[in-house]
Amino acid sequence: MTDKRRADAGNVTYLDHAATTPVRPEVLEAMLPFFAQKFGNPSTLYSVGAAAKEAMNAARAQVAALVGARTQEIYFTSGGTESDNWAVKGAACALREKGRHIIASKIEHHAVLETCRCLEKQGFEVTWLDVDGDGLVSPDHVAAAIRDDPILITVIHANNEVGVVEPIPEIGRIAAQRGVQLHTDAVQSLGKIPVNVDELGCNLLPISAHKIYGPKGIGALYVRKGTRLNKFMHGGDQENRKRSGTSNVAGIVGLGKAAELARLELDDETKRLTALRDRLIDGISASIPDATLSGPRHNRLPNNVHFCFKGVEGEGIILRLDHAGICAASGSACTSATLEPSHVLLAMGRPHEVAHGSLRLTLGRSNTQADVDKVLEVLPKTIEQLRAISPLYATSDQ
Ligand SMILES: *Cc1c(COP(=O)(O)O)cnc(C)c1O
């Protein structure tokens, strides 16, 4: 991004809330005292430390309330990636005497995907579950994969690229019946649809603050009581001896506040975003030929719009939209630098050339109908211009 002005998000239509979200003013305000004034280490006994400890306990309760957990089941971490790593490696380590078999969907977030691949290199065996054309994992496939005594099932709750919401309650029932621990990454679904650990039937569920208008670098892992999980960070035995490291108090307070606001505003925000999403999907489908919606029409996150456009490159779309003041993504933020087609789209059976022309628009709190209308004005022209200079589109069967 060469144009300095574009760094100022105030002037742009931000449609990449799946990548990150701005810190809400209420969250920032709650955090500020914990940098300099209430700076105490919560593990200490004097009052400056006790104030920090108290704030942390309150935040733990706020996070627990968002996912329907007990306070003691919430462990603070440095974010979604750490929580995913801890859940998968920690369960594998704790149960390695019992078995070496892990069941994982092919459309996990990279934080789970790469962790599983790392375990494969260490002698664990991973059954990779296929998805259908909409990105859905079949509970029957999960049941069929439980042939021996697997030590973990991991299926993402809502996919970060295409927004499909997986049938986790059904998978959770199967896992519980067969006595297998279930991990489900709810980083994208939190704050957008109801997330309740008992309804989902999961043992482990990661949370990230910066996807719900909290700060970056802080998150949590929900660990159901009785779950077999080794420690991940060794040291001073913070977080009930499970996750060492001096607590990021300001971040934790910010996560707590963000979680509380997300819980209180969930119903209204879900309705509002769903209406904007549907307007955007219908508008794109009506105005752009050879555009395919990725993922199901309704069983998707209320803020996710994802299309593949025949004969164009996603990078080209993103750069032109940026010029028009619209921030969007092609694939996921983590992969968009590599130009590799997305593993999610490939798992859904999209051919390479189609997967390359992908665009993800993810709505959030600041977006209004005006933003949707702006996209519907700019995007059809953008795709038309790109196709006019694309040898792929000119030579394809039109
Ligand atoms: C963003 C994201 C993560 C990683 O969370 P960080 O806090 O950025 O490390 C993990 N899983 C999903 C589904 C995500 O969208």
Side-chain angles (χ1 to χ4, degrees), residues 18-19 78-82 84 109 111 156 158 160 185 187-188 208 210-211 218:
S78 67
T81 300
E82 183 190 320
D84 276 328
H109 185 271
I156 192 165
N160 47 297
D185 183 335
V187 169
Q188 287 293 339
S208 172
H210 78 97
K211 304 284 175 76
I218 186 74

Side-chain angles (χ1 to χ4, degrees), residues 99-103 125 144-151 178 180:
R100 294 290 174 110
H101 180 209
I102 294 168
I103 298 168
E125 188 205 334
I146 308 179
R147 41 181 165 70
D148 47 12
D149 248 356
I151 52 176
R178 308 289 291 267
V180 189

